[in-house]
Amino acid sequence: MEEEQRPGVSAGEPATTAPEPECKHEDCVEDPENGTSSLEQPLLKRSATLTASHLAIVGAKVSHIESLDYEIIENDLFKHDWRSRSNVEVLQYIFLKWAMAFLVGLLTGVIASLINLAIENISGLKMLHMVNLVREKRYWAGFFYFAGVNFALTFVAAVLCVVFAPTAAGPGIPEIKAYLNGVDTPNMFGAPQLIVKIIGSIGAVSSGLDLGKEGPLVHIGACLANLLSQGGSGRFRLRWRWLRYFNNDRDRRDLITCGASSGVCAAFRSPVGGVLFALEEVATWWRSALLWRTFFSTATVVVVLRGFIEVCRNGRCGMFGEGGLILFDVSDVEVRYHFADLLPVTIIGVLGGVLGALYNHVLHKVLRLYNLINARGRLAKLALALAVCVFTSAGLYVLPFLVPCTPCDPAFGEACPSTGKSGNFKQFNCPPGQYNDLATLLHATNVDATRNIFSIRTPTEFRLDSLFIFLAIYIVLGLFTFGIAVPSGLFLPIILMGSAYGRITALLLSKFARGIDHGLYAVLGAAALMSGSMRMTVSLCVIFLELTNNLLLLPITMFVLLIAKTVGDAFNPSIYEIILDLKGLPFLEPKPEPWMKDLAVGELAAAKPRAVTLQVVEKVSTIVAVLRSTCHNGFPVLDRPRPGVSELHGLILRAHLVAVLKKRWFLHEKRRTEDWEARERFSSTDLADKVGTIDDVDLTPEEMDMYVDLHPFTNTTPYTVVETMSVAKAVVLFRTCALRHMLIIPKFQGPEISPIVGILTRQDLRAHNILGAHTTSWARSLTWQTRGKRTERF
């Protein structure tokens, strides 16, 4: 992240122009392959200073990261650009925002429907052929066919992620959270990531791995939003004039928020739940206008999904699937609550919190172990993914043979046993008139398995031992599948695990659970486990209400979610917070640590090197020396209106300095320019392009002796705080205003006092960085408070 320094050292003073050794971005960090050698250490090494490493793990790749400029840079060029815009241009800008939101929803819905149809058909045909071989008693042939197809599908997905787009591995939701928090996650939302995510998720989910497509759909929506706002990527990028409006981090952030909510909507066919998911889980900055646009995007997704369902009825889109995703309609079930139902429902909520926290704790350790394996190179990543695939195939194929067959209840009629493409009561290896309940869950497509375990009015369909086996294998597979180099999601595995223990609870407490269907207990178990692991409440409640299509479940679902989240919070953070910390992404939490109230921002500035400042009219050689000797992305600009007096003029970004040097906008004498002089060569859109580095600038000795007037490019309204402000208050301000830099000014002003005390960035406000830089006794005594937030205390 950006490293900024401390009080008032002017870059114009030769003795302090280069307070640090020469430093380029890639030279400011340690070797990414030497991240850790212990399961108890962070995945990447941390320095005991305020400003930590520039490295973080994005997807499955170690990347150099920076912050995003969400703050409006109010320099002279920006102000002139807004004043000169006509009403037509303003209306065009507003219209394009809504048009982009519509396109994001439209494309996300189409791609999600096609992904679902591909997965359902591929995995369904695979299951049908395997079951036919089993019914012919060709057991070894069935196993090798089943494992071979899964191996090939996993191989395709893993090769794409390992070779072409490492950042496409995993769900992508932690990186989206970090991006919307202000962290630039490079190579995360490009065209290669989109293509690999689509093909890889089809291959990974179709191969039977214990993962879902819900997380990848969120990433796909974010990729579409990023590409639409920028006109594409690379050399194929469209540079239409009207796209210049979106060439900034703020509008891109809003569109990616729309994309993330559209992905959740496409995964669960839940428009309101998608909006609330973005608000509760991924978005850091929110406003009412963004609420309306995200809702417009999710509404578009729902229309597209409904259209695919209508088109695909009666098998017109293949043998499986109807275009929509998980759907559990219990609107025709009469739900009644009794006082006796509170006990099993409370048990489900408590178990959801405990199991969710335990799942997070164990997954935390597994991810550390996988990091050691993946650090060995591409072959190790590929071998790990294929090994998990073989283990998964063996477990799914063999386990149904361990349970006895169950005679069909005459009340089920022709539905039992089922030998076709979908439905409950899979016959598998059983004789006519009997079914294998474990095969009903394990040998089905993801959507079919979810519908089977959520099925209503089937209290005796699943045996208790079968449900325990199903729960055990899905817990093991879920822990060892997440983290391999394929696109993966956590939603579906957790839903299936939760629904299994929900049905188990209903069977064990059947004398207390007479008023609620066992299928509804499966829904409550799934909701509780998701809340216990992901710590979401409002969005999960709405998602499950839209899934079940039954408002009568609202009170009991709220009750379960609140219990599960409360219990889970008592042990460790949510799974996404754990992953963010493991990856080293500098995510700013919404709530500062209690001890930050006793620490002033001036004390943080005192723990940093001295600040490098520039003059309003600065020499070219000084600017070049500062850019080449530091990695900083923002520099305070000072003005001297009269001798002996120095004032803070504002803040200028590194990218703007490079743009000025590349265009060689130099002066032969040291003077302030007129407003029109800068406008002849620059516009606010020119400064929005963050391309090029100081190494791309080659200047002659004559040009190095010239001057640059920085006042047209300086943000004259940066956020400033007085040095006595508490760190807790500064953290809240920094996060709420989506800042990249925060200037610290002295409490008292005077001719002999520097107008700038220092600069704070997000790395300076992170708890473990502060505790690492301050070695005082109070910091050491309070370390446990931060450690309890970063690591599990299970």
Side-chain angles (χ1 to χ4, degrees), residues 26 210 263 281 478 605 624-625 716 748:
E26 56 270 23
D210 187 15
E281 184 63 23
V624 171
T716 56
F748 301 101

Side-chain angles (χ1 to χ4, degrees), residues 46-47 49 52 581 595 763 766-773 786 790:
R46 290 171 175 162
S47 57
T49 59
D581 185 71
W595 52 263
Q763 291 281 18
R766 301 192 70 204
H768 67 77
N769 289 347
I770 296 175
L771 293 173
T786 301
R790 305 196 317 265

